[in-house]
């Protein structure tokens, strides 16, 4: 598979890169970003996955969060995929919360979405095979985090692959998509009306039977989406019943923005570093 390097820039001693490749799984061209720390000591590097939220591309986190300082400090490679397939021939919707920019990290079964929207398989298989050879001295250890829709994605990928991801964290995640407007709209479109098929993509359902895995969640109490889209009650109840420990933190005054993410980002990097080394 041909992987084209589009951009590169030094940041905090490491290198921020942007790539493009043709995805067989998604049947379109895809971009992703990758940060490689300086690794001056030539040690083995772990990989942290960042999954972004609705309307985002791989540029939002790389350009707004300042994460590179932390990736260099903790000596982690960080990969940032796009949030959906893209292109003129890829199905889309007039709403910002469905279609391009809103893949929800599922494998769609309903047309016209099924032809391209296989984001789970793309991330866990194809993109993984593309990214890992690009990391010098890759240790084989991985962890995953994300924001909003990407927080949902991080929890779903992490809980479905507990032997692969050492830890999971999320900022303002959609914890129970089966029960909130964003999730109901997306899961109906991508998976159909049979809600039993939705359970495989809902963290509140997956946590009922998931093996023990470290989880950190940070939520701002002034988040405008909190009450209608991001409530934690069912997820935490099901986690408790499964003896799954979750460090769920709420902070007064913080919203859904990258100001919120940047404020607490080092807490998440330190959390993942603990389990990756």
């Amino acid at each position: 598979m041909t992987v084209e390097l589009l951009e590169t820039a030094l940041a905090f001693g490491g290198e921020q890169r942007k790539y493009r490749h043709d995805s067989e799984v998604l049947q379109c061209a895809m971009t992703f970003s990758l940060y490689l720390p300086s690794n001056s000591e030539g040690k083995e590097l772990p990989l942290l996955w960042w999954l972004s939220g609705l309307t985002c591309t791989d540029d939002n986190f790389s350009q707004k969060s300042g994460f590179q300082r932390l990736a260099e400090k903790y000596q982690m490679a960080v990969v940032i995929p796009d949030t959906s397939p893209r292109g003129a021939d890829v199905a889309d919707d007039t709403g910002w919360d469905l279609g391009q920019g809103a893949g929800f990290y599922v494998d769609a079964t309903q047309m016209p979405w099924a032809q391209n929207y296989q984001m789970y398989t793309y991330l866990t298989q194809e993109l993984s095979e593309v990214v890992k050879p690009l990391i010098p001295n890759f240790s084989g250890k991985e962890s995953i985090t994300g924001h909003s829709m990407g927080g949902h994605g991080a929890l779903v990928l992490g809980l479905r692959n507990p032997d692969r991801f050492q830890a999971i964290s999320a900022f303002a995640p959609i914890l129970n998509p089966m029960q909130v407007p964003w999730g109901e709209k997306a899961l109906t479109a991508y998976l159909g009306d049979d809600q039993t098929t939705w359970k495989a993509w809902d963290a509140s359902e997956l946590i009922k039977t998931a093996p023990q895995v470290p989880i950190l969640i940070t939520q701002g109490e002034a988040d405008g989406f909190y009450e209608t889209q991001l409530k934690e009650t069912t997820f935490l109840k099901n986690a408790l019943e499964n003896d799954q420990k979750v460090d769920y933190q709420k902070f007064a005054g913080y919203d859904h923005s990258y100001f919120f993410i940047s404020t607490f980002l080092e807490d998440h990097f330190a959390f993942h570093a603990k389990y990756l080394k």
Side-chain angles (χ1 to χ4, degrees):
M1 180 183 296
T2 300
V3 182
E4 180 184 3
L5 178 62
L6 300 177
E7 301 172 4
T8 183
L10 290 179
F12 297 95
E15 191 172 355
Q16 181 67 57
R17 300 178 176 181
K18 186 180 181 72
Y19 290 93
R20 178 170 55 213
H21 74 109
D22 290 327
S23 169
E24 295 181 3
V25 171
L26 304 182
Q27 300 184 47
C28 65
M30 293 293 290
T31 62
F32 66 91
S33 293
L34 176 67
Y35 181 79
L36 298 174
S38 61
N39 196 19
S40 58
E41 297 181 6
K43 294 182 178 180
E44 291 188 331
L45 295 176
L47 175 62
L48 178 64
W49 290 76
W50 171 272
L51 304 186
S52 299
L54 287 164
T55 75
C56 290
T57 70
D58 55 303
D59 289 334
N60 294 73
F61 186 63
S62 66
Q63 296 178 8
K64 292 182 177 181
S65 71
F67 84 90
Q68 294 89 349
R69 176 182 65 84
L70 300 172
E72 176 66 18
K73 175 180 177 178
Y74 291 99
Q75 290 293 288
M76 294 181 193
V78 179
V79 62
I80 313 163
D82 202 347
T83 52
S84 77
R86 305 273 182 178
D89 297 327
V90 174
D92 201 4
D93 186 81
T94 56
W96 58 272
D97 54 356
L98 185 68
Q100 295 188 36
F104 267 81
Y105 304 104
V106 305
D107 281 350
T109 59
Q110 305 299 302
M111 293 301 290
W113 312 104
Q115 181 174 345
N116 302 101
Y117 285 73
Q118 304 295 314
M119 286 298 293
Y120 176 81
T121 296
Y122 170 66
L123 294 178
T124 57
Q125 297 181 28
E126 186 178 33
L127 186 59
S128 297
E129 294 174 1
V130 171
V131 168
K132 291 176 183 179
L134 300 175
I135 304 170
N137 299 332
F138 176 48
S139 69
K141 291 187 176 182
E142 298 174 81
S143 202
I144 192 164
T145 184
H147 172 232
S148 195
M149 179 186 72
H152 144 76
L155 285 159
V156 168
L157 267 67
L159 292 172
R160 288 180 59 146
N161 298 274
D163 294 334
R164 174 174 175 177
F165 296 105
Q166 306 297 310
I168 308 166
S169 77
F171 294 84
I174 306 171
L175 289 168
N176 195 187
M178 292 179 64
Q179 301 297 328
V180 300
W182 278 344
E184 290 173 352
K185 179 177 179 178
L187 297 179
T188 299
Y190 296 143
L191 305 176
D193 294 326
D194 182 2
Q195 295 191 12
T196 61
T197 66
W198 299 6
K199 293 181 179 182
W201 309 102
D202 188 310
S204 291
E205 293 294 324
L206 294 171
I207 200 73
K208 291 179 179 179
T209 56
Q212 298 298 309
V213 58
I215 299 174
L216 169 65
I217 296 173
T218 305
Q219 174 67 55
E221 292 183 346
D223 188 324
F225 300 115
Y226 174 58
E227 291 293 338
T228 56
Q229 308 283 7
L230 311 174
K231 291 295 289 184
E232 75 279 12
T233 306
T234 301
F235 177 83
L236 294 180
K237 173 180 176 293
N238 292 345
L240 182 64
E241 292 176 354
N242 187 31
D243 294 323
Q244 174 67 259
K245 294 181 180 179
V246 178
D247 186 359
Y248 183 85
Q249 305 174 343
K250 286 197 293 189
F251 293 92
Y254 285 92
D255 59 17
H256 201 71
S257 72
Y258 269 84
F259 298 113
F260 157 67
I261 294 170
S262 299
T263 300
F264 299 101
L265 194 56
E266 183 154 15
D267 294 344
H268 286 244
F269 267 82
F271 168 78
H272 288 288
K274 177 180 177 181
Y275 297 100
L276 286 169
K277 296 184 178 180

